[in-house]
Amino acid sequence: MNNIAEKVILTGATGLVGEGVLLESLANSQIAEVLVVGRKTCGKTHPKLKELLVPSFFELHEVKEQLRGYDACFYCAGVSSAGMNEQDYGYITYDTTLAFAQTLLEINSSIAFCFISGSHTDSTEKGKIMWARVKGKTENALAKMGFETLYHFRPGLMKPTEGQQNVKGYYKVIGKMYGFFKLLFPNNVSTMKAVGQAMINSITKGYPKQILEVSDIKQLAKN
């Protein structure tokens, strides 16, 4: 077990997953500092929290020094593919992620990278579901970049953590009916708290798999 508190960079703090992981990180004694990087403020204050506002993840050259000295990145930024074509979704999910990851790798070759993907991601990149292909393409590209430590988290339906503000309508329903979904789809649902805890444990304790499905996320969260 790693007894040294980690300093982490987090993206997507204004979204469901990013906010959930942020709350877990701020509450966890093994996380010493969280630098939230994004285009707009996450609206939270905490002794361990720092913010770095940037116009684009493609324009990080001027803030490279502020990204130095961190042990890991929890990359939770992303959008729903609903109503988007593959080119636009790919720009946000693939191009933007790789640009951010490449910058971090240039600054610190030993940084751990944890990427929020999705359940049923298509590693072959050839399936019929657009978002799954793009996520798979992104996972595959990240795996070739040379990170010493890299994890792809594939959560399914998630019960929001109490106090989360960035919860869309259907996730409010999931939260209220979590017991029902858990009974019917035990391998496809988890709590947002478990996702956050699993990400923290991945960098402090490690895990034998690079791709973590819902069952792996639940297991690692318990460790």
Side-chain angles (χ1 to χ4, degrees):
M1 179 177 175
N2 185 358
N3 292 316
I4 301 174
E6 307 281 342
K7 295 176 64 178
V8 302
I9 292 169
L10 184 144
T11 69
T14 57
L16 173 77
V17 179
E19 182 186 31
V21 175
L22 174 60
L23 292 175
E24 287 303 309
S25 298
L26 294 176
N28 193 293
S29 62
Q30 289 199 283
I31 302 298
E33 180 183 309
V34 183
L35 175 66
V36 169
V37 182
R39 291 183 300 167
K40 56 184 179 180
T41 180
C42 68
K44 291 179 170 51
T45 56
H46 191 279
K48 294 198 294 189
L49 175 63
K50 293 183 178 180
E51 272 198 303
L52 176 60
L53 300 183
V54 296
S56 165
F57 285 179
F58 291 94
E59 301 176 36
L60 299 175
H61 55 282
E62 294 184 358
V63 296
K64 277 188 174 182
E65 291 305 314
Q66 296 178 65
L67 298 172
R68 292 189 190 277
Y70 288 88
D71 304 296
C73 174
F74 295 156
Y75 194 92
C76 307
V79 295
S80 168
S81 63
M84 299 187 73
N85 60 45
E86 188 161 351
Q87 182 177 355
D88 292 342
Y89 182 70
Y91 179 79
I92 296 173
T93 303
Y94 179 84
D95 297 317
T96 305
T97 302
L98 264 59
F100 193 90
Q102 185 60 49
T103 299
L104 293 187
L105 202 53
E106 291 171 359
I107 296 169
N108 180 2
S109 61
S110 63
I111 194 167
F113 197 86
C114 299
F115 174 61
I116 286 290
S117 188
S119 181
H120 300 101
T121 286
D122 178 14
S123 298
T124 72
E125 306 178 30
K126 298 177 181 179
K128 295 181 179 180
I129 303 173
M130 182 272 283
W131 74 262
R133 289 196 308 270
V134 175
K135 285 281 192 181
K137 180 182 178 182
T138 307
E139 286 186 358
N140 293 339
L142 287 169
K144 296 175 183 176
M145 290 182 69
F147 285 102
E148 293 180 9
T149 303
L150 172 69
Y151 295 106
H152 302 311
F153 287 79
R154 295 181 172 183
L157 298 176
M158 293 165 283
K159 177 184 179 182
T161 299
E162 187 173 345
Q164 281 199 250
Q165 298 174 340
N166 300 302
V167 183
K168 294 182 179 179
Y170 56 90
Y171 269 104
K172 291 180 181 179
V173 174
I174 292 171
K176 293 178 180 179
M177 300 183 65
Y178 179 71
F180 174 74
F181 286 116
K182 184 179 179 181
L183 183 64
L184 288 183
F185 313 107
N187 295 321
N188 291 294
V189 298
S190 69
T191 62
M192 188 61 253
K193 184 178 181 68
V195 174
Q197 190 59 58
M199 294 188 82
I200 293 167
N201 287 348
S202 74
I203 65 169
T204 60
K205 302 177 182 180
Y207 198 70
K209 298 180 183 179
Q210 187 176 76
I211 295 176
L212 289 84
E213 303 288 356
V214 175
S215 58
D216 298 299
I217 291 171
K218 290 179 178 179
Q219 179 61 45
L220 184 53
K222 296 176 182 177
N223 290 350

